Amino acid sequence: MTERPGFHLAIPVDDLGRAREFYGAVLGLAEGRSDTAWVDWNFHGHQLVTHVVPGARSEAGHNPVDGHSVPVPHFGLILQVEAFHVLAERLRAAGTRFVIEPYQRFAGEPGEQWTMFLHDPAGNALEFKAFRDESQIFAT
C-alpha cells in the first residue's frame, strides 16, 4: 500500500461496552486512551474515537448502487484482498448482520473490488473494501 496521511474520525455511540465488544473484540482493533465517555481505537493506523451520545440515533439515508441500498453516511477502510476476506469471515463468525453481504464489483474491469456494508451496535454504517489492484482505486 502507498503511504497515506492518517485521519481522525469521531462517531457517536450509545453504549461504550457494546462499542468495546464490536470495535475491540469483533473488529480486533487495539484500544488506546479512554475515559468514561469516549474510547480511542487504532483503526489500522488511523484514530477512530467512539463518543457516548445519549439518545436516539436517526436513520441513515440510502443510495441505490448495483441494485443495493447503500447506507449514507458511512466510513471504512480499503484493505488488501486477503485481509478483506479474513475480516468477512471474522464478522460472519461473530454473527454480524450485513447491510450488504460481501460481494465483488466490476469483475474484470478497471476498479475491480470486493465490498461489504454493516452497522456497528450504535447504528453507524461501515464499508470495507479491497481492490484487486490498488492503483485502480480511482480508475474510471
Side-chain angles (χ1 to χ4, degrees), residues 91-116:
L91 290 164
R92 284 185 180 110
T96 301
R97 197 176 112 232
F98 291 96
V99 174
I100 300 174
E101 291 278 340
Y103 78 104
Q104 187 178 33
R105 299 181 69 204
F106 311 120
E109 299 177 28
E112 179 179 322
Q113 62 189 268
W114 286 88
T115 187
M116 62 180 150

Side-chain angles (χ1 to χ4, degrees), residues 8-52:
H8 164 87
L9 177 65
I11 60 171
V13 299
D14 54 1
D15 183 316
L16 278 185
R18 289 177 54 197
R20 281 187 163 104
E21 174 63 26
F22 180 76
Y23 288 97
V26 175
L27 292 184
L29 304 182
E31 185 174 327
R33 290 178 301 278
S34 67
D35 200 335
T36 58
W38 55 268
V39 176
D40 285 344
W41 299 99
N42 180 347
F43 197 50
H44 294 261
H46 305 285
Q47 186 184 44
L48 174 65
V49 186
T50 50
H51 284 272
V52 174

